[in-house]
Amino acid sequence: MSGVDYQRLFDALPTPHLVVTRDLKIVTANAAHLALAGLQHDEVVGRDVFEVFPPPPDALDEAGRPLLGLAFHETLITAQPTSAFVQRYDVVDPSIGESRERWWSHTVTPVLDPAGQVEMLIQRVDEVTDYVQAQELARATSSASEAALASFDGLQAQLYARSVALQAAGEAHQRTSRVLEAMPSGFLSMDTTWRFTVLNAAAERLLGHLRAELLGRTIWDAFPDVVGNEFEETYRRAVETGLPQTLEAWYPAPLDKWFEVMCWPSPDGLSLYFSDITARVEAARREARTAARLALVARVSQALTAGDTHHVLQRLPRLVVPELADSCIVTEVGPDGRARDISSWHVEERLRPALDDYARVRLVDLPPHAPFARALRTGVTELLTAETIAKVPVNSAARVHLDALGPPRGSVHPLRARDQVIGALTLLSSPARPIDPDEETTAQEIADRLGTALESSRVSQVRTQLAEDVQRSLLTEPPEPDHGQIVVRYLPASEAARVGGDWYDAFIQPSGCTTIVIGDVVGHDTAAAAAMGQIRGLLRGIAAYSDARPAEVLRGLDAAMQLLQIHTLATAAVARFEQTPDEVERGVTRMLWASAGHPPPLIVHSDGSHTLLGSGKGDLLLGVDPTTRRSEGVTELDRGATVLLYTDGLIERSDVDIDAGLARLTDAATELTGVSLDELCDGIIARLVDGHPTDDVALVAVRLHRQDRPRPAEAGPQNIPAGLPAPRHPAQ
């Protein structure tokens, strides 16, 4: 209808109407509203609605908020009309020029933009003063005559109010019908017997039925799957409690959708809005699955970084089940080329024994054309349907266990290294589990990370073992002088970079004196091991040629390191055992010792008492200042005494200081009094290291047996180099 003056039509409406913005600024008011308030159009436009019409105290809720403001807010949030409510608002009567009591009924309706968003709000006002006053008068009057008069006046007010209500209802019905039909969300109402009374066009579309097919039928008859699920529970709770309810739930086929529902009871029954949120739910689920897969990859990566790769392979099935599959088997191809299943896990506890049994025998006599063997050969993921798995040519025992798992589908993901496949992940799932290509991609990403980590671990093990073998080859067997027993122990660090510079040595000098050495080159790598070999060779060469005492040996070593440009730092302790004929007669031995920054030697006497020689860590480290003066100590030992030289890996820990470590050492040595020298060394290492050293540990021990008796059997046979001078005493 072109040329229609809508402003004139708006002003012609007999009921007061007010149009406001989203922030409650007045846009316009029709003539009926302006006349009601006694205001001009220019006096209200652009002003806040509650500035122009301040609410009286009885028009506020318990929190002091205007009831009309709450209605505006609800309509903004729901984009739906807000049911009418009644409030008192006194205005000036132009006929008498004074304010008088007035009562009004309010309805707030949204005006939507093309996108379905609330653009403006329309407030409709109906005066119900006569009706309200008549009701109050009827309640306040006690005499019969007054009651009759009130009844008559009330009847008039009711008739008037009813006429107003009927007019408003007709207009509201038409307006509501148009709004309901235009709504994108479904709307329906049921009466108190659960029969459909109202449905809009969106409800027809979402429910897949025309309203003519549903009106008059009960919801339980039209939609039997509602019975006994969340929908029925929510609808009945709303009716029983009288409170609105909301839910998000899935409705099975033929609808097969997720719905968001808001329902509310009324004296006429139950009404509800509902919308299809399937796309939103599926998107949220996809996001959650993606986040879970990323978190899984991160956990596997963290485990590979922080722990032993083979330990991760053992734990991996429990990490990926049930995130990627119902069950998982991890296979490693060893350096010998043989594939071995090393771990497995099933989400169902009752099926774990069957899966374990299947993993134990499935690779026996597996032909090369089987999907698993093909994946190991080609390095390409194999996807297995239930039909494919049923045809896998496994041995009879494996077939029995595989059939016990049900008809699974699955996939084989090779553990790919740089130029070979060194294992595989086998994932099995029930056909009922939805197929997700992203899960297969994630599984292969995890398999590739495992392959890379496993290859790196193997390379590291080979290199470490090689360096350790080189290091051990430098630590020769000690001599066994008569009545002197020497035992050595070497334990590399348990960390990957464990090859270090700890060393021990024991030899006999030209004068026939036994010398033992302990040392530690700074660093934990092959360079430290190489430097250790050089320093150890220099020291024993200097001592063997010069027959010098410990302090002089260390001084000569320091000078040789500077001259030969061995740029490293090292600690060392040297002990030399000497005896004169008189000392042999008395059954004692002199020990001369010197230390270059090394932990102090420990003497364990035959009675179990002990002595730590020196204080602190002795003189300056080797490799700092070759001109430094080296001091030397001398102590006299009785027969049966034991001397221990050791590296700091035996006593130092990150959580305790060196004094506590020395106390643990002396306590262990005292506790082991009376045991053989081998048992003493093993017992000390067991108590102080517990099989997991964080640093290299070297230990050399000397026990001085009695010389007035034959060499004890526990000391083993004598082993000394040829060409030594003859003993100066028969007991030597």
Side-chain angles (χ1 to χ4, degrees), residues 451-692:
T452 300
L454 183 57
E455 181 184 43
S456 298
S457 175
R458 289 181 177 180
V459 171
S460 177
Q461 288 176 353
V462 170
R463 290 176 177 174
T464 300
Q465 188 62 49
L466 178 61
E468 184 180 322
D469 290 344
V470 171
Q471 185 175 17
R472 285 187 180 277
S473 69
L474 297 174
L475 305 178
T476 54
E477 289 296 322
E480 292 292 345
D482 193 21
H483 295 88
Q485 181 185 359
I486 302 176
V487 170
V488 296
R489 294 289 185 270
Y490 173 74
L491 194 65
S494 59
E495 300 298 326
R498 60 186 181 179
V499 179
D502 288 23
W503 92 89
Y504 62 81
D505 206 352
F507 49 84
I508 298 177
Q509 292 181 272
S511 60
C513 297
T514 299
T515 297
I516 60 174
V517 182
I518 197 80
D520 186 1
V521 173
V522 174
H524 290 86
D525 51 26
T526 53
M532 176 272 288
Q534 290 179 294
I535 294 174
R536 178 178 182 272
L538 279 175
L539 186 148
R540 65 170 16 211
I542 292 170
Y545 178 76
S546 66
D547 200 21
R549 291 159 48 132
E552 179 60 19
V553 169
L554 290 178
R555 188 201 65 76
L557 175 60
D558 223 355
M561 288 172 62
Q562 182 188 46
L563 181 65
L564 300 177
Q565 296 183 315
I566 301 176
H567 303 299
T568 190
L569 300 177
T571 67
V574 181
R576 169 171 158 145
F577 298 88
E578 298 181 351
Q579 252 188 339
T580 64
D582 177 63
E583 290 169 333
V584 174
E585 292 288 349
R586 293 191 293 115
V588 297
T589 299
R590 270 178 300 109
M591 187 183 82
L592 290 72
W593 62 276
S595 173
H598 205 79
L602 172 65
I603 299 175
V604 182
H605 302 286
S606 58
D607 61 0
S609 61
H610 63 268
T611 303
L612 281 171
L613 298 179
S615 60
K617 286 193 173 183
D619 295 339
L620 195 63
L621 275 69
L622 298 167
V624 178
D625 180 9
T627 64
T628 188
R629 184 180 180 86
R630 299 287 176 186
S631 59
E632 188 173 85
V634 180
T635 187
E636 190 174 84
L637 305 174
D638 293 328
R639 308 313 293 177
T642 301
V643 178
L644 299 177
L645 300 185
Y646 49 90
T647 56
D648 56 6
L650 183 66
I651 59 172
E652 289 188 352
R653 296 290 179 275
S654 59
D655 55 342
V656 297
D657 58 29
I658 190 171
D659 291 335
L662 289 172
R664 294 177 65 226
L665 173 61
T666 55
D667 290 344
T670 301
E671 181 182 345
L672 293 167
T673 298
V675 302
S676 69
L677 193 57
D678 282 291
E679 292 172 333
L680 174 66
C681 292
D682 292 339
I684 288 175
I685 289 178
R687 285 163 173 74
L688 271 67
V689 179
D690 194 25
H692 301 284

Side-chain angles (χ1 to χ4, degrees), residues 3-21:
V4 176
D5 187 346
Y6 289 101
Q7 182 60 47
R8 184 169 62 84
L9 291 177
F10 182 63
D11 284 335
L13 291 174
T15 54
H17 284 73
L18 184 70
V19 181
V20 299
T21 62

Side-chain angles (χ1 to χ4, degrees), residues 354-397:
L355 182 67
D356 290 342
D357 292 338
Y358 172 62
R360 190 175 60 255
V361 299
R362 69 172 182 144
L363 301 182
V364 177
D365 299 328
L366 191 68
H369 63 275
F372 179 85
R374 191 164 54 243
L376 292 184
R377 186 173 62 255
T378 64
V380 178
T381 300
E382 291 280 339
L383 300 180
L384 310 174
T385 64
E387 293 76 13
T388 303
I389 293 177
K391 298 177 182 178
V392 171
V394 295
N395 60 74
S396 58

Side-chain angles (χ1 to χ4, degrees), residues 8 41 54 79 87 91 107 155 252 260 303 409 526 581 664:
R8 184 169 62 84
H41 191 269
Q87 76 171 63
V91 297
T107 302
L155 179 59
E260 181 180 51
R409 62 172 178 83
T526 53
R664 294 177 65 226

Side-chain angles (χ1 to χ4, degrees), residues 177-414:
S177 296
R178 291 193 300 270
V179 171
L180 287 177
E181 289 303 302
M183 283 173 49
S185 299
F187 173 83
L188 64 84
S189 288
M190 296 174 283
D191 62 18
T192 55
T193 64
W194 301 99
R195 297 182 183 278
F196 291 107
T197 58
V198 176
L199 292 97
N200 70 347
E204 290 182 305
R205 184 181 70 255
L206 292 171
L207 298 178
H209 290 278
L210 298 175
R211 68 191 76 186
E213 299 171 348
L214 296 177
L215 292 175
R217 295 176 64 186
T218 68
I219 188 173
W220 323 121
D221 172 50
F223 298 97
D225 287 323
V226 167
V227 178
N229 65 15
E230 296 173 89
F231 292 96
E232 180 185 15
E233 179 184 348
T234 301
Y235 299 158
R236 293 192 182 278
R237 183 166 59 247
V239 172
E240 292 169 0
T241 64
L243 299 174
Q245 303 290 327
T246 60
L247 86 155
E248 293 183 2
W250 175 78
Y251 192 91
L255 298 184
D256 197 20
K257 297 175 183 176
W258 278 86
F259 289 100
E260 181 180 51
V261 181
M262 181 179 72
C263 61
W264 64 97
S266 70
D268 298 323
L270 184 72
S271 298
L272 55 94
Y273 289 114
F274 59 100
S275 56
D276 181 358
I277 60 169
T278 304
R280 187 181 78 192
V281 171
E282 291 179 348
R285 287 183 168 182
R286 284 194 299 272
E287 292 176 1
R289 288 195 297 269
T290 299
R293 287 193 296 269
L294 292 174
L296 173 61
V297 173
R299 288 197 301 273
V300 172
S301 299
Q302 183 180 15
L304 289 171
T305 302
D308 177 75
T309 302
H310 283 86
H311 179 62
V312 176
L313 293 179
Q314 292 287 343
R315 292 176 46 219
L316 187 72
R318 301 192 186 205
L319 290 176
V320 303
V321 172
E323 191 65 49
L324 299 182
D326 294 340
S327 62
C328 173
I329 302 174
V330 176
T331 308
E332 180 182 5
V333 178
D336 58 358
R338 293 185 57 190
R340 299 175 180 84
D341 289 333
I342 59 176
S343 60
S344 64
W345 190 252
H346 201 291
V347 67
E348 295 188 47
E349 183 177 0
R350 65 182 182 85
L351 294 178
R352 289 170 195 164
L355 182 67
D356 290 342
D357 292 338
Y358 172 62
R360 190 175 60 255
V361 299
R362 69 172 182 144
L363 301 182
V364 177
D365 299 328
L366 191 68
H369 63 275
F372 179 85
R374 191 164 54 243
L376 292 184
R377 186 173 62 255
T378 64
V380 178
T381 300
E382 291 280 339
L383 300 180
L384 310 174
T385 64
E387 293 76 13
T388 303
I389 293 177
K391 298 177 182 178
V392 171
V394 295
N395 60 74
S396 58
R399 174 58 62 187
V400 171
H401 302 310
L402 183 59
D403 291 344
L405 296 173
R409 62 172 178 83
S411 55
V412 181
H413 302 270

